[in-house]
Amino acid sequence: MRMYDLIMKKRNGYALTEEEIKYMISGYTKGDIPDYQMSAFTMAVYFRGMNEEETYHLTMEMAHSGELLDLSGIPGIKVDKHSTGGVGDKTSLAVMPLLASFGLKSAKMSGRGLGHTGGTVDKLESFSGFHTEISMEQFINQVKDVGISIIGQTKDLAPADKKLYALRDVTATVENISLIASSIMSKKLAAGASVILLDVKTGSGAFMKTEADSVALAEEMVKIGKNAGRTMIAVISDMNQPLGNAVGNALEVKEAIATLNGEGPEDFTKLVYEIVSEFLLKTGLAKSKDEAFAMIDEKIAKKEGLEKLALFVEAQGGTKEEVYHPELLPKAEYVMEIKSDKEGYISHIQCEEIGICSMMLGGGREKKEDIIDPAVGIVLSKKVGDFVNDGETLAVMHYNSATHTPPLDAVKRFLSAYTISDEKPVKLPLIYKIID
Ligand code: URA
């Protein structure tokens, strides 16, 4: 078999066989197939696509390119939740502790943020001492004892995806449904959970800008997971504006803690309830949505999710007092209110721009090597549908700066991300669809 022939086959619009995909992925992982041939192949896929069978084989080969986590020694149901990424998306920080309070076990591999989207690992590192470089033994034991453990992306799990994703990132071949689905699902399958919920974001702050593309991606991933014997759920949720009010690492951690105390913003709290309730229904712990919501209410009232978060943070070297006293978390030296210069309804927020503003304040990375500042970010006071008076605060910027002023570019960019109109807009749905 020759990689040249496989590139030509895909370029001419034909489907590859399982053997051909196996040859290509194992050759690429070992370094026998060079990046330039793989880039030509991914570009051919970008234009020609892959059918369902090819996408499944690609996923399975990438999942098997490294270690497969064996969670069978952990009693109980092993669950995993994955978001396709967005702005202000701190959902895992509230969902995992609540799942653990119901006895469900989260063994999770999470990434760092890049560009306008945040990453769970960066958010958790706002807790002083918290780290994700733990041994596999600690990872497994912690899932058993606490119910939650998080590791960063390791070179051992799905190494073919790690290599291929880095290549796609620099060859303009990320945005293809088969390639995204196989990339995400290879990691999920390698990480071993039996019940997997995918939170597929849709809108201006998401990878998938339209609902139709988001649904197509979700359906593809659900099919792959089911074929691999996993229980799958996909939630298509809104990313046309930041989720909750806080954008920025420690600010988002504080918002997740507030939510576990029953004091979170309405949209974020609703998404957390929806996701946790889907897990409760799928695992048979609840019989109806109403029952699931009442069960979550009780856990929040008894602060059981909060306690799980504290145990998890402590187990991974963090400071649990910061969970009970979030005012101890990193705080920016300066805050500035950003005021509206006109009155009206917020009709649109360019979500991606808000993520970029937070990155410009130091809360995110433009390049992989950048060091982030956990304290900085933005807390929105007004969201789509709200009325704002001339001179009223739209948001508060938290920043650290040698000149004591926030970067002017970030303030300008923030203001131009908001559209204010005379007419009250139609409220955006939070959840578009649930696929299972
Ligand atoms: N996230 C991934 O892990 N892979 C993709 O291809 C896109 C988003």
Side-chain angles (χ1 to χ4, degrees):
M1 223 179 272
R2 293 191 316 156
M3 185 61 188
Y4 178 90
D5 299 325
L6 304 188
I7 298 168
M8 193 152 72
K9 192 170 176 185
K10 183 47 70 188
R11 187 200 69 187
N12 294 341
Y14 296 101
L16 300 195
T17 65
E18 183 178 353
E19 284 65 40
E20 287 168 336
I21 291 172
K22 198 185 217 74
Y23 164 82
M24 180 176 70
I25 294 301
S26 74
Y28 184 57
T29 311
K30 283 188 272 177
D32 297 344
I33 292 172
D35 277 348
Y36 57 83
Q37 282 192 309
M38 204 61 190
S39 325
F41 179 78
T42 53
M43 191 55 87
V45 172
Y46 183 86
F47 285 112
R48 293 294 195 169
M50 276 185 146
N51 66 27
E52 219 177 289
E53 226 179 303
E54 286 177 288
T55 310
Y56 177 72
H57 293 311
L58 179 63
T59 310
M60 295 314 275
E61 286 313 318
M62 292 205 294
H64 285 89
S65 62
E67 252 177 59
L68 293 179
L69 275 189
D70 179 9
L71 306 180
S72 59
I74 303 171
I77 305 172
K78 275 75 71 179
V79 296
D80 196 353
K81 176 237 154 228
H82 179 86
S83 159
T84 55
V87 181
D89 186 5
K90 69 287 291 176
T91 314
S92 293
L93 303 184
V95 164
M96 286 188 313
L98 284 168
L99 294 176
S101 75
F102 288 107
L104 297 172
K105 313 280 188 189
S106 293
K108 195 164 160 51
M109 184 171 73
S110 283
R112 292 185 181 276
L114 187 63
H116 73 281
T117 64
T120 303
V121 172
D122 293 329
K123 290 172 207 204
L124 283 165
E125 283 178 355
S126 302
F127 290 108
S128 47
F130 187 96
H131 60 95
T132 51
E133 293 82 28
I134 56 174
S135 67
M136 266 310 150
E137 195 188 350
Q138 179 184 342
F139 179 73
I140 301 280
N141 284 337
Q142 199 182 305
V143 179
K144 267 188 206 162
D145 300 341
V146 180
I148 316 170
S149 189
I150 285 206
I151 42 167
Q153 225 148 359
T154 75
K155 60 181 182 343
D156 306 321
L157 291 188
D161 172 63
K162 196 164 190 216
K163 240 182 128 177
L164 193 58
Y165 190 57
L167 188 72
R168 288 167 52 217
D169 207 21
V170 292
T171 54
T173 52
V174 169
E175 297 93 342
N176 170 273
I177 286 180
S178 291
L179 295 177
I180 297 177
S182 57
S183 166
I184 292 175
M185 286 308 295
S186 63
K187 288 176 287 219
K188 295 292 108 188
L189 297 180
S194 54
V195 182
I196 300 169
L197 183 143
L198 304 164
D199 181 9
V200 180
K201 300 291 184 193
T202 192
S204 64
F207 255 123
M208 296 286 143
K209 308 287 182 208
T210 67
E211 188 184 340
D213 279 349
S214 307
V215 169
L217 174 64
E219 284 176 343
E220 188 88 45
M221 293 194 287
V222 165
K223 267 186 233 153
I224 295 171
K226 282 187 173 172
N227 282 336
R230 312 296 168 96
T231 301
M232 299 294 302
I233 316 153
V235 174
I236 315 289
S237 70
D238 187 62
M239 197 35 76
N240 282 300
Q241 61 178 336
L243 181 62
N245 300 328
V247 180
N249 296 288
L251 294 169
E252 291 187 43
V253 168
K254 286 177 198 170
E255 195 162 83
I257 291 172
T259 305
L260 290 172
N261 273 313
E263 293 157 2
E266 192 188 330
D267 61 342
F268 179 59
T269 302
K270 184 167 186 318
L271 185 65
V272 169
Y273 269 64
E274 287 288 346
I275 289 179
V276 174
S277 65
E278 285 299 320
F279 274 115
L280 296 180
L281 289 169
K282 266 283 181 258
T283 54
L285 293 176
K287 299 277 170 294
S288 68
K289 227 38 206 202
D290 284 350
E291 187 191 359
F293 273 45
M295 287 162 73
I296 302 167
D297 276 345
E298 198 184 330
K299 293 291 182 193
I300 287 184
K302 290 184 173 164
K303 312 259 166 160
E304 288 185 30
L306 196 74
E307 271 165 37
K308 282 288 179 189
L309 178 66
L311 288 173
F312 157 57
V313 166
E314 188 178 40
Q316 291 199 213
T319 311
K320 80 171 183 192
E321 287 69 34
E322 290 169 351
V323 173
Y324 297 115
H325 300 282
E327 66 280 6
L328 299 173
L329 281 160
K331 207 185 281 169
E333 206 165 337
Y334 307 103
V335 290
M336 187 177 94
E337 290 181 22
I338 304 188
K339 312 230 181 212
S340 176
D341 58 3
K342 64 195 259 196
E343 75 163 38
Y345 292 98
I346 315 297
S347 58
H348 181 74
I349 300 176
Q350 272 178 277
C351 186
E352 188 171 346
E353 289 294 301
I354 307 296
I356 292 172
C357 288
S358 171
M359 185 180 78
M360 289 166 84
L361 297 176
R365 291 183 194 80
E366 218 160 330
K367 300 183 282 339
K368 278 197 187 112
E369 319 66 70
D370 291 348
I371 295 175
I372 59 167
D373 181 344
V376 302
I378 299 160
V379 179
L380 307 183
S381 316
K382 299 285 178 188
K383 295 187 59 175
V384 175
D386 290 342
F387 187 82
V388 64
N389 289 303
D390 188 359
E392 203 183 345
T393 303
L394 285 173
V396 179
M397 240 176 214
H398 295 241
Y399 63 99
N400 288 315
S401 151
T403 59
H404 306 194
T405 52
L408 210 58
D409 288 357
V411 178
K412 270 198 197 146
R413 214 155 167 160
F414 179 87
L415 283 168
S416 58
Y418 269 66
T419 307
I420 298 172
S421 316
D422 292 338
E423 268 174 48
K424 194 172 165 77
V426 180
K427 210 170 155 47
L428 294 166
L430 179 68
I431 295 189
Y432 293 81
K433 200 168 177 182
I434 294 176
I435 300 165
D436 63 6

